[in-house]
Amino acid sequence: MNTQAYIPQLLSPEQVHEALAKHIKMEFAEVGTNDWSLIDEKSNIGIRDFYSGFLKFRFAGGLAHADERDRKLRAASFFCECLEPDGSNNERYRVGFDHPSVYVLVRSPGANANTKLKDFEFYKESNGKLYLYSISEKVIEAIYKARTAKQNAAYNQKLEQTGHFQSQGYKDYKRKQRGLSVR
């Protein structure tokens, strides 16, 4: 059995700021004491205190769980992007962070051009082959957001090409909207 006392690693203010930016919980205490407090919005410390040399910092709950917390934060949302269509003009999306997957949306027979996602079959692309795949609601939401963003970009490009954004009506509309705040 190891009888040595646990000595927390001293962290620089830059490391503390980086950890807080990544939503990793941090604790602080005055140098020479063992009275640790969690750094949160109620903490009575400021930027000057980080650099004063009178405080010491550590990871709350130890560093052992930092990787797990980081994975949970990244898993909370999916990265999703539109890719170029495949040879059959099916929509393709890359979803994920560390090990992304490519999903192909194949329009169901009889569905019109402006279909919703429920009118598609989802396939996973692997080694150049497509496999029918049942995906989670979370992935469907990510694909929906990416698909909507792509459609909005195409729509705005058409408006730009037709000169809509340079029209007097649009300029008057933007001038009226400047003073309004959206809540």
Side-chain angles (χ1 to χ4, degrees):
M1 183 170 170
N2 189 356
T3 59
Q4 292 180 335
Y6 171 72
I7 301 171
Q9 178 185 4
L10 295 179
L11 302 173
S12 70
E14 291 80 15
Q15 291 171 315
V16 175
H17 289 295
E18 183 178 347
L20 290 172
K22 292 180 180 179
H23 305 286
I24 297 174
K25 294 187 185 279
M26 302 294 298
E27 293 179 331
F28 72 98
E30 289 184 17
V31 173
T33 68
N34 212 12
D35 185 23
W36 293 95
S37 299
L38 188 65
I39 298 175
D40 58 10
E41 62 274 355
K42 298 172 190 154
S43 299
N44 194 17
I45 61 172
I47 297 295
R48 289 183 188 167
D49 296 324
F50 283 90
Y51 296 95
S52 69
F54 295 110
L55 297 178
K56 57 185 177 179
F57 303 94
R58 72 177 184 187
F59 294 100
L63 186 57
H65 301 289
D67 290 337
E68 183 180 332
R69 285 189 298 255
D70 189 41
R71 271 196 301 279
K72 285 181 182 177
L73 285 171
R74 291 180 71 186
S77 63
F78 282 99
F79 168 76
C80 185
E81 69 175 331
C82 295
L83 301 175
E84 293 296 317
D86 67 1
S88 302
N89 208 23
N90 293 319
E91 298 176 32
R92 296 174 61 232
Y93 297 89
R94 181 180 11 242
V95 179
F97 281 107
D98 296 329
H99 304 289
S101 299
V102 175
Y103 296 99
V104 178
L105 278 62
V106 177
R107 189 171 276 112
S108 299
N112 64 15
N114 295 325
T115 59
K116 295 182 168 59
L117 286 179
K118 65 179 178 145
D119 295 331
F120 285 94
E121 292 178 341
F122 293 89
Y123 288 85
K124 187 172 185 177
E125 187 178 282
S126 179
N127 298 327
K129 296 181 182 177
L130 296 179
Y131 299 95
L132 189 59
Y133 202 76
S134 177
I135 59 177
S136 70
E137 283 296 318
K138 197 172 192 179
V139 175
I140 290 174
E141 288 175 22
I143 289 174
Y144 177 76
K145 286 180 184 178
R147 188 169 192 250
T148 302
K150 182 179 180 183
Q151 290 171 343
N152 289 344
Y155 179 73
N156 285 335
Q157 185 66 32
K158 290 285 186 191
L159 291 175
E160 181 70 36
Q161 290 172 350
T162 59
H164 171 73
F165 295 123
Q166 284 73 35
S167 69
Q168 190 59 41
Y170 181 75
K171 289 178 182 176
D172 292 342
Y173 167 77
K174 287 302 285 184
R175 191 173 300 118
K176 289 177 186 174
Q177 294 299 316
R178 262 187 228 140
L180 301 177
S181 63
V182 179
R183 292 183 195 248

